[in-house]
Amino acid sequence: MSAAELTTPEAARWAARAGFPLPADRHAAVAAVADHIHSVVAVLRELDFGDTPPAATYHAGEEQPGAAV
């Protein structure tokens, strides 16, 4: 999906393609929610995680190196 807002017909088409046909009165709401999710993900993509290790290296209950105590 591009940076352009999702239109209501596109929301209906994408939902149908995913196997979730929507009633016509839900198209605008689904498009609005999809646009919001897209804007949040766009912000997350801009974050610099630098030296943050992948989540698979975290072990609950163990002190993490460099963690503030």
Side-chain angles (χ1 to χ4, degrees):
M1 186 165 65
S2 69
E5 289 186 359
L6 185 68
T7 65
T8 53
E10 288 172 329
R13 188 181 81 235
W14 281 96
R17 184 176 179 181
F20 300 107
L22 298 173
D25 64 334
R26 301 295 300 151
H27 295 180
V30 170
V33 170
D35 284 333
H36 176 71
I37 292 169
H38 186 263
S39 68
V40 170
V41 170
V43 171
L44 293 174
R45 286 184 175 153
E46 294 175 7
L47 295 176
D48 178 17
F49 290 102
D51 295 328
T52 304
T57 64
Y58 178 79
H59 299 284
E62 294 180 16
E63 186 174 327
Q64 302 299 307
V69 179

